Amino acid sequence: MARIQGIDLPKNKRGVIGLTYIYGIGRSTAENILAEAGIDESVKVQDWNDDQLNKIRKLISETYKVEGALRSEVQLNIKR
């Protein structure tokens, strides 16, 4: 099971669609992440190996603000 940023990605979805289950990652961002990691968009999440999964995790954690940090920022912006 692929778990990124505390989210379990659906196994039977294509990689580009599976990444959109993470708050803050849309379709175009998912395409960019997979392109940077060198993974084909049509490969299903269940077919990712550990190296590919680690590349994706590293890219997301270093480059993008997602899930909890993004939700907090959005809520603070709304309150302000």
Side-chain angles (χ1 to χ4, degrees):
M1 177 179 298
R3 187 169 179 88
I4 299 176
Q5 296 288 323
I7 303 298
D8 292 329
L9 300 181
K11 294 180 185 179
N12 295 325
K13 301 274 185 184
R14 294 183 316 127
V16 71
I17 302 299
L19 285 175
T20 62
Y21 280 66
I22 299 172
Y23 183 79
I25 296 180
R27 181 77 182 253
S28 62
T29 306
E31 290 172 356
N32 291 339
I33 290 169
L34 291 177
E36 288 181 44
I39 301 169
D40 186 31
E41 295 176 11
S42 62
V43 175
K44 292 191 176 190
V45 173
Q46 66 187 1
D47 296 332
W48 288 346
N49 60 31
D50 290 336
D51 293 335
Q52 292 172 328
L53 195 55
N54 288 332
K55 282 182 189 177
I56 293 170
R57 280 188 188 125
K58 185 177 178 184
L59 279 170
I60 291 173
S61 65
E62 292 177 353
T63 311
Y64 300 98
K65 187 179 287 191
V66 294
E67 282 301 321
L70 182 60
R71 289 180 196 267
S72 298
E73 183 178 325
V74 169
Q75 287 301 317
L76 287 173
N77 289 340
I78 291 171
K79 288 179 183 178
R80 187 182 52 217

